[in-house]
């Protein structure tokens, strides 16, 4: 991080040059499921991994960013169980990539992407699930030439400085991962304009295409999760990942795995819904150092969602929980300065009793907590700046009266904040 630029410099020239010097490991991968989108990429990756592993396949997974440790970006597939890359293997790959780069200008993400290609090429597996870092067209992962399928998850406005300030422009950038003649799966889109751009691109490139709501669907039915496409009807357990939006995410993953040529059966799909794991996406924290500071019997939820669309999904899940078990809802939020803070907070109007705004650790892009409190106030939420998540939890505990209902506490606004919380709480992703 000290040697290379921390920001984005979207181009395929540097990664292409580096791949040549490394003997093009990206051309020696197992079949690739390539995933882009604004929201749901990580969840889709987790569902794909669960589906493939429950079907007995070895699955590499690349995700970004990491929450606590760099290792989380590189999951190496193995028979029966995948694992995060170990220290020695990661250090060796990073050294070789850095040597091949010869000190030339390159971003951290490009170096990490090259490392991923080296690791995935050198370790045998049946399939690789590779998540885009930013955008699609000029993302470093997009030197993949013939993906088994391209999966594009819901698109919304985010990273507008790089991707454009209209959803059609963002969709065009994400559509850059679509390759001529290669299968495409389009997940549930919130706006018709985004879906139209994706479909038009796939049609122009003569790709076999499956569209959510048209070629495959998902819905809850009597406590079960139903997935249906033109060939199969799966009656499955409800996904372990919480939120109505996760049904659509799971359906997109099932469609993508099937589109890539992996004929998972009903049993594997059912087990996958119960085994899937993805930290910091409506993750309940039930133990740990931070949990011990909260009021007794609190429900504490952690989510790294950081844009208005993600906020809407989180708010819907909290509202559904309040319908069953009504509790006062408090938010502890930290955000970075590239996000739409006010519209994120607006999704929680009428639901959250009070917001405690905190700095996001370990990033210069953190919005100062007093400024973030102003943004929450603009969205109609009472807000108070607090020094840290720990202090906010202590404050809630100190002000808890004997006859008060135990609160429901949401910690949210940034994946950086979520990672810091998991580390401080002692519940690091494995």
């Amino acid at each position: 991080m000290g040697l290379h630029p921390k920001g984005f410099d979207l181009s395929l020239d540097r990664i292409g040059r580096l791949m040549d010097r490394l003997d093009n490991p990206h051309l020696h991968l197992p079949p690739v499921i390539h995933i882009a989108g604004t929201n749901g990429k990580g969840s889709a990756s987790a569902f794909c991994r669960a589906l493939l592993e429950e079907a007995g396949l070895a699955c590499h997974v690349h995700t970004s960013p990491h929450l606590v440790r760099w290792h989380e970006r590189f999951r190496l597939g193995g028979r029966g169980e995948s694992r995060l890359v170990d220290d020695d293997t990661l250090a060796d790959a990073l050294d070789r990539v850095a040597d091949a780069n010869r000190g030339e200008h390159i971003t951290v993400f490009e170096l990490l992407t090259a490392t991923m290609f080296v690791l995935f090429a050198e370790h045998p597996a049946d399939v690789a699930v590779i998540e885009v870092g930013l955008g699609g067209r000029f993302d470093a992962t997009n030197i993949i030439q013939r993906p088994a399928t391209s999966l594009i998850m819901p698109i919304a406005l985010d990273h507008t400085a790089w991707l454009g300030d209209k959803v059609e422009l963002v969709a065009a950038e994400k559509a850059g991962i679509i390759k001529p003649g290669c299968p495409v799966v389009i997940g549930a889109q919130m706006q018709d304009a985004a879906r139209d751009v994706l479909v038009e691109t796939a049609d122009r490139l003569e790709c076999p295409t499956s569209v959510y709501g048209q070629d495959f669907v998902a819905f809850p039915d009597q406590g079960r999760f139903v997935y249906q496409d033109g060939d199969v009807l799966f009656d499955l357990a409800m996904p372990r990942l919480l939120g109505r939006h996760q049904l659509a995410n799971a359906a997109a993953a099932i469609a993508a795995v099937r589109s890539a040529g992996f004929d998972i059966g009903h049993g594997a799909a059912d087990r996958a819904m119960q085994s899937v794991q993805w930290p910091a996406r409506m993750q309940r924290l039930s133990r740990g150092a931070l949990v011990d500071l909260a009021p007794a019997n609190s429900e504490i939820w952690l989510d790294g969602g950081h844009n208005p669309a993600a906020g809407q999904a989180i708010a819907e899940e909290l509202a559904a929980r309040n319908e069953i078990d009504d509790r006062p809802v408090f938010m502890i939020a930290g955000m970075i300065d590239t996000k739409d803070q006010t519209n994120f907070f607006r999704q929680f109007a009428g639901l959250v009793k009070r917001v405690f705004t905190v700095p996001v650790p370990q990033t210069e892009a953190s919005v100062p907590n007093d400024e973030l409190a102003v943004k929450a106030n603009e969205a109609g939420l009472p807000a108070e700046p607090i020094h840290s998540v720990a202090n906010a939890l202590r404050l809630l505990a100190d002000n808890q009266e004997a006859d008060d209902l135990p609160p429901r506490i949401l910690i949210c606004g940034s994946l950086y904040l979520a990672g810091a919380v998991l580390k401080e709480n002692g519940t690091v992703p494995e």
Side-chain angles (χ1 to χ4, degrees), residues 376-426:
N377 286 328
E378 290 175 355
L381 300 176
E384 176 181 354
I386 298 291
H387 180 65
S388 68
V389 171
N391 284 353
L393 292 170
R394 288 190 190 100
L395 182 63
L396 283 169
D398 290 344
N399 290 319
Q400 181 81 352
E401 300 292 341
D403 57 349
D404 287 345
L405 289 171
R408 182 167 283 123
I409 302 168
L410 171 67
I411 306 173
C412 66
S414 168
L415 283 169
Y416 295 106
L417 178 65
V421 166
L422 290 172
K423 183 176 181 180
E424 187 175 355
N425 194 52

Side-chain angles (χ1 to χ4, degrees), residues 42-212:
S43 295
S45 297
F47 279 118
C48 284
R49 173 195 158 204
L51 290 160
L52 292 160
E53 289 186 344
E54 292 294 350
L57 299 168
C59 178
H60 294 327
V61 184
H62 167 262
T63 56
S64 67
H66 60 277
L67 292 169
V68 181
R69 299 179 299 156
W70 296 92
H71 308 64
E72 298 166 34
R73 297 172 179 246
F74 314 103
R75 180 173 289 276
L76 300 180
R79 293 299 171 196
E81 186 178 24
S82 58
R83 58 183 175 82
L84 300 184
V85 65
D86 61 70
D87 283 338
D88 290 343
T89 304
L90 178 56
D92 173 69
L94 282 167
D95 281 342
R96 285 186 283 139
V97 168
D99 288 345
N101 188 56
R102 303 172 188 169
E104 296 185 23
H105 175 87
I106 199 164
T107 66
V108 170
F109 183 75
E110 288 167 331
L111 280 177
L112 293 172
T113 300
T115 301
M116 176 267 294
F117 285 131
V118 168
L119 290 169
F120 287 8
E122 293 179 351
H123 292 80
D126 299 303
V127 56
V129 176
I130 297 178
E131 180 186 323
V132 163
L134 175 66
R137 183 164 59 114
F138 291 121
D139 184 79
T141 66
N142 202 32
I143 59 169
I144 297 167
Q145 296 180 357
R146 298 287 300 174
T149 197
S150 298
L151 169 58
I152 304 183
M153 298 300 289
I155 292 172
L157 291 180
D158 200 5
H159 301 294
T160 54
W162 294 281
L163 304 181
D165 58 0
K166 295 181 179 179
V167 72
E168 298 94 324
L169 297 177
V170 179
E173 292 296 324
K174 309 287 187 184
I177 72 166
I178 298 174
K179 301 300 192 302
C182 295
V184 176
V185 173
I186 298 173
Q189 299 299 320
M190 295 170 285
Q191 299 187 42
D192 291 345
R195 183 177 59 250
D196 291 347
V197 169
L198 301 176
V199 171
E200 288 167 7
T201 303
D203 287 347
R204 175 169 50 82
L205 296 177
E206 299 182 343
C207 301
T209 306
S210 296
V211 181
Y212 181 87

Side-chain angles (χ1 to χ4, degrees), residues 290-303:
L290 287 176
V291 173
D292 292 342
L293 302 177
N297 300 315
S298 298
E299 267 189 25
I300 303 178
W301 298 91
L302 179 67
D303 197 288

Side-chain angles (χ1 to χ4, degrees), residues 353-392:
K353 184 175 182 179
R354 191 167 191 80
V355 179
F356 299 100
T357 55
V358 299
V360 178
Q362 299 181 334
T363 174
E364 298 172 357
S366 174
V367 178
N369 55 354
D370 55 344
E371 293 181 18
L372 192 60
V374 171
K375 296 292 187 179
N377 286 328
E378 290 175 355
L381 300 176
E384 176 181 354
I386 298 291
H387 180 65
S388 68
V389 171
N391 284 353

Side-chain angles (χ1 to χ4, degrees), residues 295-349:
N297 300 315
S298 298
E299 267 189 25
I300 303 178
W301 298 91
L302 179 67
D303 197 288
H306 47 252
N307 56 43
Q312 180 182 357
I314 301 166
E316 287 177 354
E317 175 62 17
L318 287 177
R321 293 191 165 273
N322 266 22
E323 288 181 4
I324 299 169
D325 176 20
D326 192 26
R327 299 182 182 216
V329 179
F330 294 92
M331 176 189 290
I332 302 172
M335 300 188 74
I336 63 173
D337 56 17
T338 59
K339 305 304 175 184
D340 184 351
Q341 300 105 30
T342 301
N343 283 322
F344 176 82
F345 287 126
R346 279 204 176 101
Q347 310 307 315
F348 300 91

